[in-house]
Amino acid sequence: MDTPIINNLFTLMQRYRMTMRDVINANELGLNAMHVRCLHIIEATEACTANDIVQKMQRDKAQVARLVKDLMNLGFIEKNASKEDKRRFILSFTESGSALLMKLLAAQKEINNSLCKGLNKAQLDTFLSVVDKMSENLK
Amino acid sequence: MDTPIINNLFTLMQRYRMTMRDVINANELGLNAMHVRCLHIIEATEACTANDIVQKMQRDKAQVARLVKDLMNLGFIEKNASKEDKRRFILSFTESGSALLMKLLAAQKEINNSLCKGLNKAQLDTFLSVVDKMSENLK
DNA sequence: TGATATTGTTGATATTATCAACTATATCAT
DNA sequence: ATGATATAGTTGATAATATCAACAATATCA
């Protein structure tokens, strides 16, 4: 049996997680990789709610609720009930959260750069379209 | 910030894990996804040892030791000390393990097919080389 | 208005991952 | 040959990630 494609992906993801963990540990915060992903999503999403994070990360809402709670307890974000829909809470950064975010964005960019080193645009485009097609195939 | 490539990969891996879990549950054994990956590696590796699995899965040896122990307790594999090096244990399938493997290989193949549906060889080749290059970049 | 759906929280638990300490065996340099 | 160092594997402790079910509050729709 020729080893399935997915194994190469497992290896890549493993390496990525380790790289990410090093960065996070280097900054010595009470955070893990999923917290960081949440922060990035909150930043990138207009009036982000917990449910937005659920959609974008494709994770269970229970998991997300806990990550958000942690981030609030750590004082990086706060939530306010939406005026249009009181079930929703809009997430936003505190001052210390914004400061943290700056650092994380810089780190993320650096990781992304080293990830893509030696690859040209055509390769990356093909890669991305294949990834998305595969996700679609499994939906 | 354009969302980093890795997010698309996270989504894909998540979908893959869910697909895999469905298949495994359908087989209704005391196994999880990592057990299944171990079995595949044992099958694909001549005189496979725990350390081979560690290398190929890029996981901690403690984690692998426990997965192997589970598989033995479930009666799917057995281990025998290598004659050349008594620290090593060669892993092999029991009869019921072989039977299980047949089913898992079929399932794996099916998943792999649906994963690659609608993608041509050139795309898949580029994809794989990019994945490997990225792994290399993070090493 | 009542039935149904959505958003988010919590409890319980399973799965996956990490690190350190340890045993046994092997290897290597002297 | 012996002692130092390295490797293979095990176990304990714990952290990180994920899943499912039950629930409260609010929204939507017939």
Side-chain angles (χ1 to χ4, degrees):
Chain A
M1 174 180 129
D2 47 337
T3 74
I5 275 181
I6 202 75
N7 289 346
N8 304 59
L9 281 174
F10 272 120
T11 298
L12 173 57
M13 296 309 284
Q14 171 68 2
R15 295 245 166 92
Y16 183 83
R17 266 191 298 272
M18 287 168 66
T19 304
M20 204 56 190
R21 204 184 50 240
D22 288 347
V23 171
I24 294 166
N25 285 348
N27 282 318
E28 286 185 10
L29 307 152
L31 300 180
N32 61 40
M34 297 304 282
H35 291 123
V36 172
R37 292 189 66 202
C38 286
L39 291 173
H40 283 145
I41 289 173
I42 295 169
E43 191 263 346
T45 308
E46 170 68 17
C48 185
T49 67
N51 198 44
D52 289 329
I53 299 177
V54 166
Q55 298 305 319
K56 299 204 179 183
M57 294 208 313
Q58 294 282 306
R59 293 298 188 282
D60 191 90
K61 61 184 179 170
Q63 188 182 2
V64 170
R66 286 175 179 117
L67 291 167
V68 166
K69 189 168 64 173
D70 293 341
L71 290 172
M72 289 205 307
N73 290 341
L74 289 166
F76 294 131
I77 63 173
E78 50 195 15
K79 67 177 186 185
N80 294 97
S82 159
K83 281 163 192 166
E84 296 87 51
D85 183 343
K86 286 179 191 162
R87 293 171 307 178
R88 296 164 186 268
F89 295 94
I90 310 293
L91 304 174
S92 56
F93 289 97
T94 62
E95 200 163 328
S96 86
S98 293
L100 171 62
L101 181 67
M102 290 303 113
K103 283 193 205 172
L104 292 176
L105 286 175
Q108 167 93 297
K109 196 171 174 183
E110 221 175 288
I111 293 178
N112 209 51
N113 283 346
S114 74
L115 188 71
C116 298
K117 202 167 51 190
L119 296 165
N120 63 37
K121 181 160 173 7
Q123 287 172 308
L124 290 175
D125 285 349
T126 300
F127 172 77
L128 256 191
S129 71
V130 170
V131 170
D132 290 344
K133 173 67 174 160
M134 284 179 168
S135 290
E136 198 61 28
N137 284 343
L138 294 184
K139 204 160 65 178
Chain B
M1 174 179 126
D2 47 338
T3 74
I5 276 182
I6 203 74
N7 289 346
N8 305 60
L9 282 174
F10 272 121
T11 298
L12 173 56
M13 296 309 285
Q14 170 69 2
R15 295 245 167 92
Y16 184 84
R17 267 192 297 273
M18 286 169 66
T19 304
M20 202 57 188
R21 205 185 48 242
D22 287 347
V23 171
I24 294 166
N25 284 348
N27 283 323
E28 283 184 13
L29 306 152
L31 300 179
N32 61 40
M34 296 305 281
H35 291 122
V36 172
R37 292 190 66 203
C38 286
L39 292 172
H40 282 145
I41 289 174
I42 295 169
E43 191 262 346
T45 308
E46 170 69 16
C48 185
T49 67
N51 197 45
D52 289 329
I53 300 177
V54 167
Q55 298 305 320
K56 300 203 179 184
M57 294 210 311
Q58 294 283 304
R59 291 300 186 283
D60 191 89
K61 61 185 180 169
Q63 188 183 1
V64 170
R66 288 177 178 115
L67 291 167
V68 166
K69 189 167 65 172
D70 293 341
L71 290 172
M72 289 207 306
N73 290 342
L74 289 166
F76 293 131
I77 64 173
E78 52 196 12
K79 67 177 184 184
N80 294 96
S82 159
K83 281 164 193 167
E84 297 89 48
D85 183 342
K86 286 177 191 164
R87 293 171 305 178
R88 294 164 187 270
F89 294 95
I90 309 293
L91 304 173
S92 57
F93 287 97
T94 62
E95 199 162 328
S96 86
S98 294
L100 171 62
L101 181 67
M102 292 302 113
K103 284 191 203 171
L104 292 176
L105 286 175
Q108 167 93 298
K109 195 172 174 182
E110 222 174 287
I111 293 178
N112 208 52
N113 283 346
S114 75
L115 188 71
C116 298
K117 202 169 48 188
L119 295 166
N120 63 38
K121 181 160 174 5
Q123 287 171 308
L124 290 174
D125 286 348
T126 301
F127 172 77
L128 255 191
S129 71
V130 170
V131 170
D132 290 344
K133 173 67 173 160
M134 285 178 167
S135 290
E136 198 61 29
N137 283 344
L138 294 185
K139 204 158 63 180

